[in-house]
Amino acid sequence: MIVRTPDGAEDGAAAPLAAAILTGGRATRLGGARKATLALDGASIIERQLAVLARVAAPIFLVTSAQSPRDADLRVVRDEFLNHGAPGGIYTAIVASPHERTLVVACDMPFLSEALLAYMAGIDADVVIPRTARGYEPLCAIYGRACAAPMRARLTRGELEASRRLEGVRVAEVSPVTLAAYDPDGLLFVNVNTPHDYERAKEVLEER
């Protein structure tokens, strides 16, 4: 079921929201560098994220693989489905969260928007997920506890496509039109996966 999102500001009556930062990737295209700790304009990516997330969610915790180092002084939750990529991290975030709803973000997104995340937090649905021209953005989305069972079933079947919409839950899509109002420069979903991405992110900040 798809719930159409309302336009305008959030209603202020949203349930408490936790936030999980997924940090378990191997960053092979960055030579194994810890993406979350890369510096941009004097602050690491994860420090930039925490400055935004702390204003829309609490608590904030990390989801990582058993081999991953701690990237911030936060509670660390070990991935329940090792080597299952982003879907495994999303599932772990949902079941480890102290709240019914959890905002899940990847650790390599330096341009999170407080205004957009606050807007998403005010939408009543089991999944609140941005949809760009490229498709869904599952690593900057809100998941309710109702998503745990269908997500686990998908993982046990070996279905690891994070951008595939979950069935049997209420999904609210944040449309490209709505996203444009909060992200006019198209930066929110930029991630740092390669040396080129890193250099481009630094250039963007220098141009501001």
Side-chain angles (χ1 to χ4, degrees):
M1 175 183 178
I2 297 178
V3 179
R4 299 302 175 191
T5 61
D7 291 327
E10 65 276 9
D11 60 16
L17 183 70
I21 303 174
L22 305 192
T23 68
R26 297 180 181 178
T28 54
R29 286 180 286 177
L30 271 166
R34 292 164 59 188
K35 294 189 286 186
T37 62
L38 293 175
L40 287 171
D41 196 26
S44 68
I45 293 176
I46 200 166
E47 288 171 340
R48 295 173 61 86
Q49 290 184 325
L50 290 173
V52 173
L53 293 173
R55 295 194 286 267
V56 297
I60 304 168
F61 60 98
L62 302 177
V63 174
T64 187
S65 69
Q67 297 80 24
S68 298
R70 180 190 294 261
D71 288 324
D73 188 18
L74 298 170
R75 174 192 173 209
V76 175
V77 177
R78 300 303 178 186
D79 205 328
E80 293 198 19
F81 281 85
L82 291 177
N83 303 316
H84 281 65
I90 294 169
Y91 171 78
T92 301
I94 295 168
V95 298
S97 176
H99 294 323
E100 179 70 22
R101 308 175 78 222
T102 306
L103 169 62
V104 177
V105 300
C107 70
D108 60 357
M109 301 174 66
F111 302 116
L112 296 179
S113 163
E114 177 186 351
L116 176 60
L117 297 181
Y119 169 78
M120 290 169 57
I123 298 171
D124 180 19
D126 298 316
V127 181
V128 183
I129 187 166
R131 179 174 56 81
T132 69
R134 299 183 302 274
Y136 288 129
E137 296 288 347
L139 293 183
C140 185
I142 295 173
Y143 298 89
R145 192 98 52 202
C147 299
M151 181 70 77
R152 185 179 183 89
R154 181 178 292 182
L155 287 164
T156 57
R157 293 194 298 267
E159 299 173 4
L160 305 182
E161 187 180 352
S163 59
R164 179 181 167 196
R165 187 169 65 86
L166 277 178
E167 297 179 355
V169 296
R170 296 177 305 143
V171 178
E173 299 178 354
V174 183
S175 71
V177 173
T178 300
L179 289 173
Y182 290 94
D183 186 30
D185 298 322
L187 295 175
L188 175 58
F189 304 112
V190 168
N191 50 26
V192 178
N193 279 320
T194 67
H196 173 76
D197 295 338
Y198 184 35
E199 292 304 316
R200 179 55 186 148
K202 289 190 286 188
E203 290 172 4
V204 167
L205 289 172
E206 290 171 359
E207 293 167 0
R208 286 186 167 184

